[in-house]
Structure formats: C-alpha cells, structure tokens
Amino acid sequence: MKDSGKPEKAHNQTGKAFKAMSLVSAVGIDLAAFTLGGYFLGAWLDNKWNNSGLGVALGVLLGVLLGILSVIFIIKAVMEESDG
C-alpha cells in the first residue's frame, strides 16, 4: 500500500512554521538588543561628557540603525537559504 504522504506534509508545514517563528524572534531580539546597547552606550557617554541626553539620543539612534542593518542581513540570509 502506498502512504498518503500526510505525515510528511504535516512535518514540512510544522518546520516552516518554526522557521518563521524563529525569524520573527531573531528580528525582535536583534532590534531590542541593539537599541538597548545604544542606550547604554549613550548613557555612558553622557556620564563621561557631562551632557544632558545627547549621548543617549545618538546612542539609541545608532542602535536602531545597526539593528535595522542586522535585520536586513538576517532576512537576506534566510531568503538566500530558501532559494536553494
């Protein structure tokens, strides 16, 4: 008797769902980590330079920009992997 292939198809769909969840998690964690890192770097610079928030603003901006670049690289890698 032939197998209907349903268990294999269900396993493939589950794998795709986990891959999508991991991608979304990686994007969120990267953005949060870079933004927090930028905040702490900016707070440290503010403390060192006796500034009133300029370091924090620049640090958060830098963190967000680096987070966006990281997300672009993650998505590019996933897209290349899915192409074959």
Side-chain angles (χ1 to χ4, degrees):
M1 277 179 95
K2 278 192 165 182
D3 241 356
S4 64
K6 287 183 182 178
E8 186 176 313
K9 187 176 181 182
H11 183 271
N12 191 20
Q13 288 176 346
T14 304
K16 286 182 181 179
F18 281 127
K19 188 173 184 177
M21 288 187 330
S22 67
L23 176 63
V24 170
S25 297
V27 165
I29 289 170
D30 268 10
L31 279 174
F34 276 107
T35 303
L36 281 173
Y39 169 79
F40 287 119
L41 175 68
W44 178 76
L45 287 174
D46 269 350
N47 191 22
K48 195 158 186 86
W49 293 339
N50 294 326
N51 251 347
S52 60
L54 182 63
V56 171
L58 291 175
V60 168
L61 183 63
L62 179 65
V64 169
L65 290 174
L66 289 174
I68 290 171
L69 278 175
S70 175
V71 167
I72 289 170
F73 286 128
I74 289 172
I75 292 173
K76 189 183 239 186
V78 169
M79 294 299 286
E80 286 174 358
E81 182 182 304
S82 68
D83 284 345

